[in-house]
C-alpha cells in the first residue's frame, strides 16, 4: 500500500530553525512535493525533489533520499506567518500525488 | 505565474439544489485538472482527475452522477454538485498541472460549500 508518515504537530520559536521529516512508501516514485497550507486556505507549492540531495530555496530547503524513502523540509529564520500545515506528497508511478494529513507547525514568539 | 482561480469562493444553498464551481488556470494551459475535497483537519481527498476533452476519472467511492466534472478547455474545468445535501458541505479545491514544465499541482483558493 501507499503510506506517508509525518509528525502530527510541531512547535518552534520565532527566528529558529525547524526540520519536518517525512517517510513514505509508494507504488513507484516520480518525485516528492512539499506544500504549505494555512488554516482555511488551499495548499501552495513549496518544492519538488526528484533526485537525492538538498534543494535550497530562500528560507526553505528540502531534502530527499530515495533509497531510504525519506524527505525533510527545513525552515530557517522562522516567522509567525510560517505557522501552517506542511504537506509531504510523493508522486507515484501514475504521477498521482499521495496526500497525508500533514504536519501542523506552531510558531511561538 | 501558475495562478489558478476558483469561483465562487463561498456558497450557501438549500438541500436539493445544484451548485457549479469553476476552476480556471489564468496564465498557463493545463491538460490535467484535479478536484479535491477536504474536511476540517483532514487530509486532501482526491475526487477526480480531469483531462481536457475527455471524461473525468473518478476515485473509488465518488459518485460520478452526483459530482459532474467538465473540462471543456485547457484553462477551464467545472465541478457541479447535483442535488446537494448537508453531507456534501465541505471545502472543495481544484488544482491544475502545468503542461510540459513540471509535475507540480497549483491550487485554486478553494470553494467553501454549505448545504442547509
Amino acid at each position: 500500500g501507499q503510506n506517508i508518515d509525518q509528525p502530527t504537530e510541531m512547535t518552534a520559536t520565532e527566528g529558529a530553525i525547524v526540520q519536518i521529516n517525512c517517510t513514505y512508501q509508494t507504488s513507484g516514485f516520480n518525485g516528492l512535493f512539499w506544500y504549505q497550507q494555512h488554516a482555511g486556505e488551499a495548499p501552495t507549492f513549496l518544492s519538488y525533489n526528484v533526485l537525492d540531495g538538498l534543494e535550497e530555496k530562500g528560507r526553505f530547503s528540502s531534502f530527499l533520499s530515495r533509497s531510504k524513502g525519506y524527505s525533510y523540509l527545513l525552515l530557517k529564520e522562522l516567522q509567525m506567518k510560517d505557522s501552517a500545515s506542511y504537506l509531504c506528497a510523493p508522486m507515484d508511478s501514475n504521477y498521482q500525488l499521495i496526500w497525508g494529513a500533514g504536519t501542523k507547525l506552531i510558531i511561538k514568539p | 505565474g501558475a495562478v489558478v482561480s476558483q469561483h465562487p469562493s463561498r456558497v450557501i444553498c438549500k438541500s436539493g439544489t445544484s451548485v457549479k464551481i469553476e476552476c480556471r488556470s489564468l496564465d498557463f494551459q493545463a491538460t490535467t485538472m484535479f478536484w479535491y475535497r477536504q474536511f476540517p483537519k483532514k487530509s486532501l481527498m482526491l475526487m477526480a482527475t480531469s483531462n481536457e476533452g475527455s471524461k473525468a476519472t473518478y476515485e473509488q467511492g465518488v459518485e460520478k452522477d452526483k459530482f459532474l466534472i467538465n473540462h471543456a478547455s485547457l484553462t477551464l474545468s467545472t465541478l457541479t454538485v447535483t442535488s446537494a445535501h448537508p453531507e456534501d458541505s465541505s471545502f472543495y479545491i481544484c488544482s491544475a498541472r502545468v503542461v510540459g514544465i513540471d509535475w507540480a499541482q497549483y491550487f485554486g483558493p478553494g470553494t467553501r460549500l454549505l448545504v442547509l
Side-chain angles (χ1 to χ4, degrees):
Chain A
Q2 313 210 87
N3 186 58
I4 297 168
D5 193 22
Q6 291 179 246
T8 304
E9 188 174 296
M10 298 180 70
T11 302
T13 305
E14 191 177 15
I17 299 172
V18 70
Q19 178 174 311
I20 302 174
N21 295 321
C22 169
T23 56
Y24 61 88
Q25 288 179 308
T26 55
S27 301
F29 181 76
N30 281 298
L32 184 142
F33 292 85
W34 283 94
Y35 283 83
Q36 179 190 61
Q37 186 176 24
H38 284 100
E41 298 181 8
T44 56
F45 168 73
L46 290 178
S47 67
Y48 173 53
N49 294 65
V50 64
L51 300 176
D52 289 350
L54 186 69
E55 296 268 349
E56 297 186 69
K57 194 185 290 186
R59 293 190 299 115
F60 293 5
S61 302
S62 55
F63 172 84
L64 175 67
S65 169
R66 290 171 295 172
S67 63
K68 295 182 180 178
Y70 168 70
S71 175
Y72 68 73
L73 182 69
L74 189 72
L75 293 78
K76 302 176 184 176
E77 301 169 17
L78 287 169
Q79 302 174 9
M80 297 303 293
K81 67 179 182 179
D82 297 330
S83 291
S85 287
Y86 291 86
L87 313 177
C88 162
M91 187 159 59
D92 69 11
S93 57
N94 293 319
Y95 295 92
Q96 293 279 46
L97 294 186
I98 309 303
W99 300 94
T103 298
K104 182 179 180 181
L105 177 63
I106 300 168
I107 309 297
K108 295 186 175 180
Chain B
V3 178
V4 178
S5 71
Q6 201 171 327
H7 179 80
S9 58
R10 202 176 282 268
V11 59
I12 301 173
C13 68
K14 292 183 179 180
S15 187
T17 60
S18 294
V19 174
K20 180 186 277 190
I21 303 170
E22 286 190 354
C23 178
R24 292 180 186 272
S25 56
L26 298 185
D27 53 0
F28 65 97
Q29 293 183 326
T31 52
T32 306
M33 289 185 171
F34 305 84
W35 287 95
Y36 294 87
R37 65 188 297 183
Q38 188 175 34
F39 292 106
K41 299 183 180 180
K42 298 294 183 183
S43 62
L44 289 167
M45 188 188 83
L46 179 65
M47 299 174 67
T49 301
S50 166
N51 290 300
E52 184 263 339
S54 62
K55 290 184 179 180
T57 302
Y58 290 81
E59 295 299 301
Q60 195 171 10
V62 178
E63 298 175 60
K64 62 181 179 181
D65 294 330
K66 181 167 183 62
F67 298 100
L68 301 178
I69 292 172
N70 183 275
H71 192 162
S73 76
L74 285 172
T75 59
L76 173 65
S77 177
T78 60
L79 167 68
T80 302
V81 183
T82 62
S83 187
H85 291 285
E87 57 265 31
D88 298 324
S89 299
S90 188
F91 189 42
Y92 291 87
I93 319 172
C94 73
S95 70
R97 182 176 275 167
V98 182
V99 175
I101 298 179
D102 60 32
W103 289 98
Q105 291 183 27
Y106 296 92
F107 286 84
T111 297
R112 205 161 293 282
L113 171 64
L114 177 61
V115 185
L116 302 176

